[in-house]
Amino acid sequence: MSWAQSVTQCVQSGGVLTSVEDLAESNFLVEHADLFTTKTSGFWIGIYRNVNGQLLWQDNSALDFVNWGEGQPSEDQLDYCVGLSAFSGYWSILPCSSPKGFICKKPKIHPLLFALYLFTDAKKDKTQEHMNMWILLTLVLIILLGMGFMIYFLFKIKTQRETEREVRQCSTLLEYSRVLTGKNDENDSTNNKGKNEHSVV
């Protein structure tokens, strides 16, 4: 596929042509690209030149790492695109219409942002956006209410267990005190019995 067709395919799958942020990521791509060397000699990556001749990544990540092949990039090839060699991992400037494979990268999305993404679509009109926002707010409210009820019931169960534990402790202490009081009553009755016997004699 050409570079433009590759960009379209990645966008349709929810990603962009890959950016390469460091040597570890470059090595990972080369290691996996090597599996496809029988089908293609290289892959399109998401680096391109803007109208001012600046090199940029499609996903707007910083261009801190480069892995250009020898003599690359050439300033006289502004309208060309960038490919990654499946054999060496080096980058080179190629005609954008060249048939190459491509590597897409999808961003990691937090579940709440994913829900926001599902309910907001830039192509929809304003009324639809307002409706989607209400649906999203309702969803968030339901989640918060659910969490509130869960916390309430957990607190209630904990309080109930503590109360039951205190009642058991009090009843245990009460029984213990009755046992002690019962023994003292027996001792007192035995002493009284002894006194009565002495007084009769």
Side-chain angles (χ1 to χ4, degrees), residues 66-79:
V66 292
N67 196 22
W68 294 108
E70 193 174 326
Q72 299 287 333
S74 174
E75 291 298 322
D76 60 338
Q77 298 175 320
L78 293 179
D79 59 338

Side-chain angles (χ1 to χ4, degrees), residues 112 115 136-150:
L112 199 53
L136 179 63
L137 287 173
T138 304
L139 180 66
V140 169
L141 183 62
I142 290 170
I143 290 170
L144 290 175
L145 282 172
M147 289 174 59
F149 279 121
M150 187 172 70

Side-chain angles (χ1 to χ4, degrees), residues 57-69:
W57 287 114
Q58 272 190 317
D59 64 3
N60 296 320
S61 59
L63 186 61
D64 294 333
F65 173 79
V66 292
N67 196 22
W68 294 108

Side-chain angles (χ1 to χ4, degrees), residues 34-55:
D34 189 40
L35 301 172
F36 299 97
T37 54
T38 58
K39 295 181 181 181
T40 183
S41 62
F43 297 89
W44 294 120
I45 57 175
I47 198 168
Y48 70 99
R49 286 186 191 266
N50 67 5
V51 292
N52 299 327
Q54 290 177 297
L55 292 170

Side-chain angles (χ1 to χ4, degrees), residues 8-201:
T8 303
Q9 286 292 318
C10 285
V11 169
Q12 287 176 350
S13 70
V16 291
L17 281 175
T18 191
S19 57
V20 184
E21 297 176 17
D22 54 32
L23 184 60
E25 189 171 15
S26 179
N27 289 339
F28 173 82
L29 291 173
V30 171
E31 183 179 309
H32 288 83
D34 189 40
L35 301 172
F36 299 97
T37 54
T38 58
K39 295 181 181 181
T40 183
S41 62
F43 297 89
W44 294 120
I45 57 175
I47 198 168
Y48 70 99
R49 286 186 191 266
N50 67 5
V51 292
N52 299 327
Q54 290 177 297
L55 292 170
L56 304 169
W57 287 114
Q58 272 190 317
D59 64 3
N60 296 320
S61 59
L63 186 61
D64 294 333
F65 173 79
V66 292
N67 196 22
W68 294 108
E70 193 174 326
Q72 299 287 333
S74 174
E75 291 298 322
D76 60 338
Q77 298 175 320
L78 293 179
D79 59 338
Y80 282 37
C81 299
V82 180
L84 170 114
S85 169
F87 301 105
S88 66
Y90 290 118
W91 307 348
S92 58
I93 303 285
L94 303 166
C96 295
S97 59
S98 300
K100 296 286 177 195
F102 59 95
I103 303 170
C104 298
K105 184 186 249 184
K106 292 184 180 181
K108 292 180 183 176
I109 298 179
H110 188 275
L112 199 53
L113 292 177
F114 181 68
L116 179 64
Y117 172 77
L118 287 178
F119 291 112
T120 57
D121 187 353
K123 296 177 184 175
K124 295 181 180 174
D125 60 321
K126 292 276 184 188
T127 57
Q128 187 68 29
E129 286 180 16
H130 289 294
M131 189 171 138
N132 287 341
M133 188 55 71
W134 282 110
I135 291 171
L136 179 63
L137 287 173
T138 304
L139 180 66
V140 169
L141 183 62
I142 290 170
I143 290 170
L144 290 175
L145 282 172
M147 289 174 59
F149 279 121
M150 187 172 70
I151 290 169
Y152 169 76
F153 285 117
L154 288 174
F155 179 75
K156 188 175 178 180
I157 290 169
K158 181 181 176 190
T159 307
Q160 186 177 6
R161 286 183 181 166
E162 287 175 358
T163 306
E164 289 172 357
R165 190 177 318 126
E166 288 175 7
V167 167
R168 279 194 303 260
Q169 286 176 346
C170 287
S171 67
T172 303
L173 288 173
L174 186 62
E175 286 178 34
Y176 184 67
S177 68
R178 283 182 185 162
V179 167
L180 290 176
T181 307
K183 285 184 179 177
N184 287 339
D185 289 343
E186 285 178 18
N187 289 340
D188 288 344
S189 64
T190 311
N191 288 339
N192 286 340
K193 204 178 197 183
K195 285 181 184 176
N196 288 338
E197 288 177 2
H198 286 138
S199 60
V200 172
V201 174

